[in-house]
Amino acid sequence: MKTKENLDVEESLSLIWTSIQRGDTNFNKIDAVVKKGVCENVMNQLIAEGYVLKDNETIKLTAKGEEIGREITRRHRLTERLLADVLEFDKTAIDEIACDLEHNISTELADSICTLLGHPTECPHGAPIPSGKCCQKSENKIKSIVFPLSQLDPGEEVKLAYIVTTNHGYLHKLLSLGLIPGVKIILHQKFPSFIIKVNETQIAVDEEVANLIYVRK
Amino acid sequence: MANKLIAFVGNPNVGKSVLFNKLTGQYSVVSNYSGTSVDVTRGTIKIDGTDYQAVDTPGVYSLMPLSEDEQVTRDLIIREKPSVIVQVCDIKNIERSLHLFFELAMFKIPMIMVLNMYDEAVHSGIKINGYQLEKILQVPVIMTAATLGYGLEKIIKKIPQAATTPFDIVYSEEKAVSCVDEVLKDKIPYSRAISVYLLCGDKGISNYIPDNLKNFIQTDCLKKININADSFNSRLFNDRNNAIKRITGNAKIVKHKNKFEFLQFIGNAALNPFIGTLLLLCILYLMYEFVGVFMAGTVVDFIQTSVFENFLNPIVVNILDYIKTPDIVKDFLTGEYGLWTVAVTYAFAIIFPIITGFFLFLGLLEDSGYLPRLSVMLDRIFSFIGLNGKAVLPMILGLGCGTMAVLSARVLETRKERMIILVLLSLAVPCSAQLGIILAMLSAISYKATIIWFCCILVSILGIGKLLAYFIKGEPNNLIIELPNIRIPSLLNIFSKIKMRLEWYLKEIVPLFVIATAFLFFIDKIHLLEKIEKLLSPVIVYFLGLPIETTSTFIMGFLRRDYGASGIYVMAQNGLLTHTQVLITAVVITLFIPCLAQSLIVIKEYGVRIAAVVFAAVTAYAVLFGGLLKFLLKFVNI
């Protein structure tokens, strides 16, 4: 178990990292956010332990601080994805749970979750998920277990894993056409549109919709 | 059950309409379902010497309304309370039909199940044990092949034996369903179905729930149950899916054959980026030859000259003379802007043959299963301008008659798409009447002129479309479309569709031509036309560099698109215009606001305010574009 102090450091670094990513580098502003969100005197500790540098009015992260901030943010957003997509938690509740879990997930576990979900690039709220080692491997053609239909090669038969969409209409339409999780589908072609076969039905969708349909081999 | 209603319900593309047409014969009537643009066909079926009312509902995947079609089918069932539902299914996709079956079962209306497309199923090696299915569902099950006429008499025989299925899925959310159902039971019909739709998050269904019960349900059930619509939906799907798996496990036998299928080969070839594009070009060329050259040229010439000018018009004039009609009435009917000479001639001699040809072609495209493939091929182009492949229908219709196309834009699902298509149809899509004359005029100059005109139109469509896609609020609506098998079109079905569409043309569009002509007659009488001409002439003469005489043809173009174009054509033939001027006029008149009939339908569909903004923008764009073209053409020799 990590100490309270440890958790505070991780939490603040994650806050600072996301602020800097957004282009916010004003020291006083971020300091206020950290004071309010974590605790009063953590900033001094961060500077003393060499995670954070103060350069006039700008805040900077050292290499060590940067690594932790990025990693915690990654774990947080991946957890949110897992909760929302696979476990179907309500979107309003996931942030809080992810806040707890992010400190207790190892880098390896985060990579496994990331691979399982098909290396998602955005959290359910639309913020980018920093890539991990597993994602770079995936770019080197190691396929994850679950991946969007758009990455499948034509002619392959796969199982539908889940459909990620906030659009009620799309979901219902795809379900009614027989695209129900667990069903076997074959991708016929990818251009000019995606043509898939489910049972005896041929369905055409465009690339954006193909990106919402996650499948597994 | 005399005078009671038999409703035909089923998924799209299951051959329901063919079956319906064969059962009811030719005396079916198509009409819009009240307050919607959705067509519903009604007819009668004779069973044991008694006539029964029958209705063909729009094809749906589910009764949870996301589209107008689904809404109509569900409302029709709830409001008209059919005494029998005939569910038509595609044997090949029995799973999907069973999903709908379970929805229909909630209404507890006696049903029979028709397993259609027996012939196609045999081809793909799929067999259903009808006897088994009948035993499980406990409603009559009949195998048919509607296009071949096989099994139809069995439907008639079985309708009186229709039964309510006792097969009810015990939902994993049964508690929630019965909680709502307890409140509604005995108070409204179909309470169980309505309870389920309410829990699915269907907002429209609350129209059927009395106001005093709404609050009660809200506080006493929905708050306590605490289940959100999304998860209820997913669970419902899962429950039904499990039940369906059990049923098909017992009754469905699949033997996959790897036989070469010619029609399937065509269907796949039509989607191939290379062969499909060639096929698309061939089909567009055939359409141009058939509709544009044969119908709009040969047939229209014959009807206009031989039938109207040489035969009917003298008769009408003679009759009017004979009964000593006052001059003003005579002028109103057969004068320069007469109801007979303009509205009737226009509606029947010119547009009628063209759209008949168009409808025949469209019917073939629809019935053969090619139209959805066309949508797929063109989806990428349409998505560039904020539409999807489905917009191909109003666009193609726009090349026939813009008035019709504006109405057909109702098939598009979002407001954003309908706005974009409205502007494009008003701005740049030339109708067949205009297109023929413009092409004749330009090809007389040079190929180069035709190409420049075409590029101007294309640039306008793509450019303005892109701008609108960017500025009009709303998410793009992505393409999700089912591709039915390619099949040999059924002529009976196509003819009943053409009949239905021509009736619609006579009822909806022809009156607009009459109103437009009467309006024209009126403003001619008060000499308003000349005043407008005077007002406009500086723009025409100085900005566009055209002779003053062209002003009246622009105004005529608003009243009747081809009149404007033909006015220019005559001027060009008489050498009153230079080649550059002809080209500028052709471009401006294409971009200029649509004809009066189309404008009226735009006002009717979208309201005066939107129509006014669109027309003002279109006019400004046409004039500015013409000015720019005039400037650019200084450097080009056509």
Side-chain angles (χ1 to χ4, degrees):
Chain A
M1 212 36 211
K2 290 176 185 174
T3 60
K4 161 94 174 63
E5 227 166 69
N6 249 328
L7 291 182
D8 285 349
V9 168
E10 287 187 355
E11 191 69 40
S12 340
L13 285 173
S14 152
L15 268 177
I16 298 167
W17 191 83
T18 41
S19 302
I20 293 176
Q21 285 298 306
R22 274 201 306 266
D24 225 343
T25 52
N26 184 304
F27 183 88
N28 291 332
K29 203 170 145 197
I30 293 173
D31 190 30
V33 173
V34 170
K35 271 186 181 138
K36 195 168 162 239
V38 189
C39 74
E40 274 295 321
N41 44 20
V42 71
M43 191 58 93
N44 294 332
Q45 188 195 346
L46 289 176
I47 295 172
E49 291 182 10
Y51 294 111
V52 170
L53 297 171
K54 187 185 169 189
D55 184 5
N56 289 328
E57 284 307 301
T58 15
I59 192 165
K60 276 183 185 159
L61 284 171
T62 62
K64 168 162 106 161
E66 163 94 20
E67 199 191 317
I68 297 175
R70 186 174 188 280
E71 183 60 29
I72 295 294
T73 310
R74 171 173 155 78
R75 291 179 202 167
H76 180 93
R77 291 178 183 167
L78 276 172
T79 314
E80 285 186 329
R81 266 261 80 104
L82 182 73
L83 291 169
D85 295 346
V86 182
L87 305 177
E88 295 184 346
F89 271 59
D90 195 59
K91 248 199 201 173
T92 47
I94 55 178
D95 185 53
E96 205 178 318
I97 306 173
C99 266
D100 283 342
L101 285 176
E102 66 190 27
H103 307 288
N104 301 315
I105 294 174
S106 67
T107 308
E108 291 73 28
L109 181 53
D111 281 357
S112 302
I113 294 172
C114 185
T115 308
L116 174 75
L117 298 176
H119 308 282
T121 51
E122 279 184 0
C123 82
H125 308 99
I129 299 177
S131 63
K133 266 190 199 138
C134 64
C135 308
Q136 275 128 38
K137 270 190 215 157
S138 126
E139 279 161 15
N140 296 334
K141 295 277 186 249
I142 293 173
K143 284 246 164 115
S144 35
I145 311 166
V146 179
F147 50 93
L149 191 66
S150 49
Q151 289 173 16
L152 191 66
D153 292 325
E156 281 192 86
E157 190 186 67
V158 285
K159 258 189 177 175
L160 180 67
Y162 52 85
I163 296 166
V164 193
T165 172
T166 46
N167 186 322
H168 210 78
Y170 288 167
L171 184 66
H172 194 85
K173 208 162 171 185
L174 292 169
L175 285 172
S176 325
L177 283 167
L179 286 170
I180 301 156
V183 81
K184 276 184 188 161
I185 58 181
I186 300 174
L187 180 66
H188 274 319
Q189 65 179 66
K190 293 172 85 164
F191 189 87
S193 301
F194 284 74
I195 313 280
I196 42 186
K197 198 175 174 197
V198 187
N199 294 320
E200 289 299 310
T201 309
Q202 262 196 337
I203 301 163
V205 299
D206 60 19
E207 191 158 2
E208 275 109 83
V209 178
N211 272 323
L212 305 174
I213 301 172
Y214 278 72
V215 296
R216 67 171 79 202
K217 289 212 173 167
Chain B
M1 34 176 243
N3 282 330
K4 286 186 179 169
L5 186 68
I6 303 168
F8 285 68
V9 183
N11 294 151
N13 306 311
V14 296
K16 187 165 55 70
S17 299
V18 178
L19 195 122
F20 186 85
N21 283 330
K22 290 210 171 177
L23 285 176
T24 54
Q26 51 178 317
Y27 300 107
S28 51
V29 180
V30 182
S31 58
N32 277 2
Y33 194 69
S34 59
T36 69
S37 60
V38 179
D39 286 324
V40 170
T41 317
R42 291 173 195 271
T44 53
I45 298 180
K46 215 180 211 42
I47 303 171
D48 291 335
T50 320
D51 278 342
Y52 292 91
Q53 297 296 313
V55 57
D56 184 16
T57 61
V60 295
Y61 295 109
S62 148
L63 295 178
M64 165 104 180
L66 281 163
S67 72
E68 220 179 7
D69 285 4
E70 287 163 340
Q71 174 104 34
V72 165
T73 302
R74 195 195 57 196
D75 287 353
L76 194 143
I77 293 176
I78 298 181
R79 286 186 197 148
E80 301 193 16
K81 306 190 174 50
S83 46
V84 174
I85 291 179
V86 176
Q87 193 196 347
V88 187
C89 315
D90 172 3
I91 300 183
K92 303 191 302 306
N93 285 309
I94 185 75
E95 288 84 1
R96 243 167 42 194
S97 292
L98 285 169
H99 265 285
L100 186 59
F101 176 83
F102 290 130
E103 283 196 52
L104 292 169
M106 300 189 304
F107 288 87
K108 302 197 190 334
I109 296 170
M111 288 177 71
I112 67 170
M113 188 179 232
V114 174
L115 298 181
N116 193 25
M117 301 194 160
Y118 184 64
D119 47 338
E120 282 189 19
V122 171
H123 269 294
S124 20
I126 292 168
K127 270 189 194 157
I128 298 284
N129 185 334
Y131 178 69
Q132 271 286 350
L133 196 60
E134 203 169 273
K135 234 171 62 183
I136 302 170
L137 302 178
Q138 300 195 30
V139 301
V141 173
I142 303 150
M143 304 272 182
T144 61
T147 44
L148 306 176
Y150 167 78
L152 299 182
E153 72 291 344
K154 279 190 283 181
I155 300 180
I156 303 218
K157 228 187 261 167
K158 290 274 185 178
I159 285 178
Q161 297 168 28
T164 312
T165 179
F167 193 97
D168 193 0
I169 305 169
V170 178
Y171 295 116
S172 49
E173 293 298 335
E174 183 60 42
K175 247 192 186 163
V177 177
S178 41
C179 178
V180 180
D181 195 15
E182 278 304 314
V183 181
L184 296 175
K185 221 185 230 167
D186 307 324
K187 301 218 172 61
I188 56 169
Y190 313 131
S191 59
R192 186 172 168 87
I194 289 176
S195 309
V196 170
Y197 290 124
L198 189 74
L199 287 162
C200 279
D202 172 359
K203 296 199 178 73
I205 200 75
S206 59
N207 293 338
Y208 296 104
I209 300 173
D211 281 338
N212 56 342
L213 296 181
K214 269 183 207 161
N215 285 334
F216 189 70
I217 291 174
Q218 192 65 38
T219 52
D220 231 59
C221 302
L222 300 184
K223 282 232 172 95
K224 276 189 202 155
I225 300 161
N226 193 23
I227 178 163
N228 74 29
D230 268 349
S231 53
F232 183 82
N233 249 319
S234 316
R235 292 188 149 215
L236 204 63
F237 254 99
N238 264 329
D239 292 338
R240 287 189 183 142
N241 219 25
N242 290 334
I244 288 165
K245 266 189 206 146
R246 280 202 307 277
I247 294 173
T248 52
N250 279 324
K252 184 178 171 183
I253 306 149
V254 184
K255 272 187 230 142
H256 276 294
K257 292 181 187 169
N258 284 324
K259 213 170 67 179
F260 176 78
E261 288 284 345
F262 180 68
L263 289 176
Q264 205 176 332
F265 172 75
I266 298 278
N268 291 337
L271 294 166
N272 181 291
F274 181 68
I275 307 171
T277 311
L278 281 181
L279 192 69
L280 184 128
L281 292 175
C282 284
I283 285 175
L284 285 181
Y285 178 73
L286 278 178
M287 188 168 88
Y288 171 74
E289 279 292 320
F290 179 69
V291 182
V293 178
F294 177 69
M295 291 306 258
T298 321
V299 177
V300 168
D301 277 349
F302 171 76
I303 298 181
Q304 201 180 1
T305 321
S306 304
V307 179
F308 272 80
E309 281 172 21
N310 297 340
F311 181 67
L312 287 177
N313 291 4
I315 294 180
V316 174
V317 172
N318 283 339
I319 292 175
L320 291 180
D321 281 344
Y322 183 75
I323 57 171
K324 297 205 172 55
T325 332
D327 275 353
I328 178 78
V329 177
K330 223 194 280 177
D331 199 22
F332 182 67
L333 290 174
T334 57
E336 197 183 352
Y337 304 106
L339 272 193
W340 175 267
T341 34
V342 177
V344 177
T345 312
Y346 192 50
F348 291 95
I350 299 172
I351 304 295
F352 194 83
I354 295 176
I355 60 160
T356 307
F358 229 92
F359 287 154
L360 177 62
F361 216 86
L362 191 68
L364 283 171
L365 291 186
E366 278 177 337
D367 224 51
S368 61
Y370 181 70
L371 200 63
R373 287 172 171 82
L374 193 62
S375 297
V376 170
M377 293 301 292
L378 295 176
D379 182 59
R380 280 187 192 251
I381 299 172
F382 280 118
S383 68
F384 178 77
I385 52 176
L387 298 167
N388 72 37
K390 286 180 192 165
V392 72
L393 183 71
M395 277 297 202
I396 285 193
L397 279 177
L399 291 173
C401 170
T403 314
M404 216 161 60
V406 172
L407 268 183
S408 75
R410 288 172 177 173
V411 300
L412 301 177
E413 284 152 17
T414 64
R415 198 187 94 91
K416 178 174 181 164
E417 290 169 283
R418 287 194 293 271
M419 285 304 298
I420 294 175
I421 206 88
L422 165 69
V423 175
L424 295 183
L425 285 173
S426 306
L427 180 71
V429 181
C431 72
S432 53
Q434 194 185 30
L435 191 61
I437 297 167
I438 287 178
L439 287 180
M441 196 158 80
L442 291 174
S443 55
I445 301 176
S446 68
Y447 262 112
K448 212 169 160 188
T450 316
I451 290 168
I452 294 176
W453 172 83
F454 181 75
C455 290
C456 289
I457 302 308
L458 198 66
V459 163
S460 300
I461 290 182
L462 294 180
I464 295 298
K466 188 80 196 163
L467 274 180
L468 292 172
Y470 187 75
F471 281 111
I472 297 180
K473 265 185 240 152
E475 290 290 302
N477 189 22
N478 293 99
L479 182 77
I480 301 173
I481 195 170
E482 187 194 350
L483 301 173
N485 286 354
I486 290 279
R487 46 182 173 242
I488 309 283
S490 137
L491 282 183
L492 179 81
N493 206 30
I494 291 177
F495 283 125
S496 78
K497 247 187 217 165
I498 293 178
K499 184 181 146 235
M500 167 190 120
R501 288 187 166 137
L502 287 177
E503 275 172 14
W504 170 74
Y505 166 76
L506 296 179
K507 265 190 288 189
E508 302 256 339
I509 312 287
V510 172
L512 289 178
F513 291 146
V514 173
I515 297 171
T517 310
F519 180 67
L520 179 54
F521 177 82
F522 176 70
I523 61 171
D524 178 58
K525 279 282 166 277
I526 60 168
H527 304 289
L528 193 65
L529 280 181
E530 287 133 53
K531 280 172 203 151
I532 301 174
E533 262 178 53
K534 259 194 206 124
L535 213 70
L536 285 180
S537 52
V539 178
I540 307 276
V541 176
Y542 297 113
F543 190 69
L544 296 176
L546 300 173
I548 191 153
E549 291 81 12
T550 45
T551 318
S552 64
T553 55
F554 276 108
I555 294 168
M556 286 305 294
F558 169 59
L559 303 164
R560 246 182 81 170
R561 273 192 141 175
D562 63 324
Y563 261 26
S566 54
I568 309 279
Y569 188 48
V570 173
M571 286 176 71
Q573 274 182 328
N574 294 339
L576 293 172
L577 296 171
T578 67
H579 285 177
T580 313
Q581 284 174 330
V582 172
L583 180 55
I584 294 172
T585 322
V587 170
V588 174
I589 214 161
T590 315
L591 296 176
F592 197 52
I593 42 175
C595 72
L596 190 52
Q598 189 179 336
S599 308
L600 288 177
I601 204 87
V602 171
I603 293 172
K604 195 175 145 201
E605 290 283 294
Y606 292 85
V608 178
R609 270 182 51 196
I610 290 181
V613 172
V614 170
F615 294 156
V618 164
T619 309
Y621 180 84
V623 171
L624 290 176
F625 197 92
L628 179 71
L629 190 64
K630 175 193 154 200
F631 175 74
L632 291 176
L633 284 178
K634 278 184 192 158
F635 311 103
V636 182
N637 186 19
I638 55 167

